[in-house]
Amino acid sequence: MTAAVTTGPPRVSPPPVSPVAGSGWLGLGAVAAKTCQTAVLLVFAAVLAPDEFGIISLAAVLLNVCVVLADLGTSTALVPFRGDAERAARSALSLALALSAAIVAVVWLAAPWLAVQLRIGAEGAGVLRGIVLCLPLAAAAGVSAELLRRSLDFRRRVLPDIGGNLVGALVTVAALAAGQGAFALVTGQLVQAALVQLLFWALRRPVLPGWSRGDVRALLAFGGGWAGSSLLTLLILNLDFLLVAHRLGAHDVGTYSMAFRLAYMPYLLIAMVIGGSLFAHLSRMRAAAVGRAAVDAALLVHALVVPLYVGLLVLAPGLTLLGEQWAPAVPALRWLAAYGLVLSALEVLVVVLKAAGRTTDVLALTGLHLVLLLVLLLLVVDRGITAVAAAQLGAVVLTVVAAGVLVAHRVPSISWPELGRGLLPVAAGGGALGLTALAVGGLLPVARSSLVGVLAAGGAASVAYLTTVVLLDRAGRTGLGRVLRPGRWAAPSAMIAGLTAAALATAALAVLAPVPVLVTLAGGAVVAAALARLEWAAVLLVVAEPFGDLLREAHPEAVKAVGLLLFASWLLRLVAGAGPSVTRHPAGGALGVIVLALLASSVLRGMDLAVGLDHAVSYASYALVVAALVDAVRRGRPGAEAVARRLATCFFLACTAAAVVATLRFLSTGGRAAGPLEDPNDLAFFLVAALPFGFVVAHRRSPLATAGVLACAAALVVATCATFSRGALLALVVMLLAALALRTLRLTTVVGLGLAASAALGLLWASHADLVERSIAEKEHIAAANVDSRYTTWTMAAEMTADSPLLGQGPGGFAAATPAFVPGDVAAVPQTVVHNMYLDVASELGLLGLVAFLALLGYAARGAARARRVPERRVVADAVLLGFAGTLTAACFLSEQFYLPVWLLVALGVALDPGPVASERRV
């Protein structure tokens, strides 16, 4: 039987959650997206002339229209789809990709003609061509997004939007600062579209192209009407732009665009967000519940948008804060504020009709709106942008009247008297807000359009609105009463007030210094996320460490700041929950002895401040890192296995990126591969430690994941070879033997990997023969000297340990005591480390520190071996054991206790150990 899309509400019991329960997550995504877009808008407004601003506005219009055409509503039709939605999604993806390719080709051919008609010149044609390249990525991401909305998984639905918009905004501003002008929009949108698609693939299984004729017919039956109404809606929203551009020119369309975008923002952030959540819930409700949910949603929408639109209406002159060139947009902004308020009411009515399966009615309403708007615009467009804004209001008012009549007829369960009574407090609050803003603005000694005037009038008006609504809304239908009531809402009230003040201050600063504000906002978001979730702070650390020296070039304390952030997040976790879980594992005792040996050696043996302080801080900080990472894994959400896999995956990908950077630098300059870490040996140690974690990513058993892992593994192996670190190459061999012993790899796989690596290295040699041969010659020239030097430092370290066997020479003691232990036949030893991790620990912390350090490694390896018996943990445990095999081998030639890999392996081995602690309470 062919799957079909519902033509009416399915007979399913009402869900136990509120019909706007997903609005919180959708709202968070919308706020994040619109905050980024608004910040970019302010930067464009401050930097670009109105002509160029008009170009980016028209490019955005084109992209929105093309996205709807490429989708045809088939992805949205997956939400109420009855049948195998995963199979139908494959057909929807194929259709979207095919249409996207066709539309891109058409736009590229038609761009010069469009530029002439819209009067935006050759630069505009280039921007139009560039912006549509986002189309295939946006179409594919839409399918994954609607599948998540179908499952009511709003949290994961919005995460790609948040991340994509944030990164896209930063890239756009950076491109604008680099002088790209209007083309900065293209650069930012391309990066954003690619990142959003990758994030959706990371959050759920990628949808692969497929085709089912029955599914396509069913999706188009519902989606065709939806797409038609969506396309008409886009024409409605952008018809004014096109006519203004054609009749009045790019300067006027830029001015009008500023007013329209500001007035449209509350509708996007509130009405469309609540509508998106409402549709998913109403599709699962019966008739009586639909009426109650529609009234509740309408009251909530109006309670939130009325103060914003009345505020825009009264405080519109504040638009000149962006510059006097925007003064002509003030009258239009006032008309458009009223338009946005009525449009928000229309959104709720349209969602109710869509959820009832009345897509034909929606299409008819949208067509009516389009005809009314077209007629009015043609009559008044030559009179200027204020007349255009008034036409928008007139068309939407008539459409709302028609929509109300249709909804009253199609959904009789809606209680209109109840809706009217609920809106009375909101209307009274809007009146109080407007009067208060006017009164305060008139009494102030500064201009009402100044920053101080806008903030003062807006703040006082907001208080007046909330107070009026709370006093009149005794039944609490609007939901605003809970904000001001004492008790458990006191903290949220303070938080909302603080966030509002911060948002206003940020908006003011963004006008004066947009780039620093955006950088600060991005940094603040990262810090807040890391403090809120220890697991995220741990991810940030493992991603940052492979680029330690590059980050230090940006700021000397950058890597330390990441470590301090992890420590602060861990302290917050400890305050909220139980003590550190590492203390309940034998490895915790070994870690404590290391710290004790460090303290005793520092105090009793002394510490060289030139090198010793840095070594002491490294030992102590990595001890804390182990404790924090163990807690992050054991108590992390959604579980220890998932967090461990996440850390392993992030470390693998970060090291792969570092390997690519190092290889490119090697190909450009020769020598030995380095860059992210200046010492090639240290970089090789990271790459060797990361290589086994590719098994964690490949365990997904999807062709995409396997191909990606093979490419990353090849990059790691090539970069490791380019470091010419003999210890790292030996470590690779040991890891392969260990993988065979643990049966993680089969012999045929090892042979295949070896042939692939050999082919990659051969290709590298063939394409850059002179550079490779010169680098090998340089390495051979110093190889013999390195052997002699390391033999000398090893001998000296052994003698230092024998001289002070219990506590060693103290942190940094090897460098400080070198003159007393240099052999007579050696002129000088410039090294400050031993180049052997075990002898280095023994020489500085004595046998007490060495035994504790070896015990820590042993307990961690035992924990990983035990974890192999748990099926969910076996893959990560195998990777940890292979990592130990490689790093502990390479550490025979390097002093790597001052870097993350060995401590990360210790933390994962201890955290995954199922023996000591059966379960951990999650905080």
Side-chain angles (χ1 to χ4, degrees), residues 453-532:
V454 171
L455 294 179
S462 299
V463 172
Y465 174 78
L466 289 173
T467 304
T468 303
V469 173
V470 170
L471 290 176
L472 296 179
D473 183 28
R474 297 186 180 275
R477 293 298 302 275
T478 63
L480 295 182
R482 292 174 294 178
V483 176
L484 297 182
R485 287 174 186 166
R488 68 188 182 93
W489 287 98
S493 300
M495 181 182 67
I496 290 172
L499 289 176
T500 302
L504 292 173
T506 301
L509 290 173
V511 178
L512 302 175
V515 175
V517 168
L518 283 178
V519 173
T520 302
L521 286 175
V526 172
V527 170
L531 289 175

Side-chain angles (χ1 to χ4, degrees), residues 662-686:
T663 303
L664 293 176
R665 182 171 176 179
F666 168 76
L667 294 177
S668 63
T669 63
R672 301 175 64 188
L677 294 173
E678 289 302 325
D679 190 319
N681 294 319
D682 296 332
L683 176 64
F685 191 78
F686 272 82

Side-chain angles (χ1 to χ4, degrees), residues 129 289 325 337 396 466:
R129 282 176 166 172
Q325 69 270 27
V396 78
L466 289 173

